[in-house]
Amino acid sequence: MLKLVFTGVWVCAVTLGSVYFSIQHASAPVESDAEADRRALQQYVPGEIITVPVITDGAVQGYFLTKLSFAVDKNKIKHLDVPLKETVTNALFDILVGKKLINVADNTSFDLAQFKTTVKDGLNKDMRDEVIFDVLVEQLEYLSKADVARIAKGASQPQQQPVAIVDKNGETAHDEIPEAERRAAAAAK
């Protein structure tokens, strides 16, 4: 009986010692100076819902509904010639209509990470500087022309929900601005 008690005490002591040792020697992830500087300059700008038409064979077939938010350089955004909202709208028209990055008929080739990178690079190119650090795609959906007509006819027909765009990896747009940044943006308004 005494052996059993000593064994239990020994197991508890070893467990507590290992937990104490691991907590004492655990460290937060090391952040480089460049990353720390970038975080100090970073500000989140919430986006607005933008509607971009899908044009095929010279006619509008439907609409992309998208809401993008951005992690931007807060010093450089103050000195933009064209406001960010208009620059984003222009870039999205170029990307979604001009480059046809998303094929609604075949979304198996769509890559959400590639879309974010293309938008970021396109915006930075338009602004001639690295103003955008990251693109957050909060919403990216498709609404067909028939669905728009059905909604316009009135409440007698059930309202159709936009179809979320799914990329080749099965991911949908669901990025969110960090809560602290969201509160700061709301307070600034």
Side-chain angles (χ1 to χ4, degrees):
M1 178 75 163
L2 196 53
K3 260 186 176 174
L4 185 61
V5 171
F6 283 131
T7 303
V9 169
W10 181 77
V11 168
C12 288
V14 169
T15 303
L16 288 174
S18 64
V19 169
Y20 178 77
F21 179 77
S22 65
I23 289 174
Q24 290 298 320
H25 294 296
S27 63
V30 177
E31 190 174 272
S32 68
D33 291 338
E35 184 68 22
D37 291 343
R38 184 178 150 248
R39 287 222 186 271
L41 291 174
Q42 185 170 296
Q43 170 186 347
Y44 284 93
V45 176
E48 298 179 352
I49 293 182
I50 299 172
T51 305
V52 180
V54 175
I55 301 171
T56 307
D57 298 329
V60 174
Q61 302 300 318
Y63 299 90
F64 284 113
L65 305 175
T66 183
K67 181 176 181 184
L68 303 178
S69 296
F70 306 94
V72 299
D73 185 324
K74 60 184 167 185
N75 295 330
K76 291 179 182 178
I77 197 168
K78 294 175 187 174
H79 305 293
L80 291 178
D81 294 334
V82 179
L84 185 64
K85 176 184 171 188
E86 285 76 10
T87 305
V88 168
T89 303
N90 182 49
L92 284 176
F93 271 83
D94 288 346
I95 291 167
L96 294 175
V97 177
K99 294 181 183 176
K100 297 191 181 213
L101 193 60
I102 302 174
N103 182 358
V104 178
D106 177 28
N107 63 357
T108 58
S109 63
F110 176 64
D111 185 4
L112 187 60
Q114 172 73 26
F115 176 76
K116 290 179 179 184
T117 303
T118 304
V119 170
K120 180 181 100 170
D121 293 344
L123 288 172
N124 284 334
K125 181 180 174 190
D126 287 350
M127 293 184 248
R128 296 179 190 91
D129 200 356
E130 189 170 343
V131 177
I132 307 291
F133 293 133
D134 194 17
V135 175
L136 304 171
V137 181
E138 295 183 47
Q139 177 183 358
L140 182 59
E141 299 173 334
Y142 176 74
L143 195 59
S144 72
K145 189 175 176 182
D147 291 336
V148 172
R150 195 174 307 123
I151 291 169
K153 286 184 180 175
S156 63
Q157 295 186 0
Q159 182 161 343
Q160 298 293 316
Q161 294 296 321
V163 177
I165 303 294
V166 180
D167 77 352
K168 65 182 179 184
N169 300 322
E171 295 181 26
T172 59
H174 58 276
D175 293 337
E176 294 182 14
I177 295 177
E179 189 61 35
E181 296 293 338
R182 185 179 308 211
R183 279 189 242 122
K189 286 184 181 180

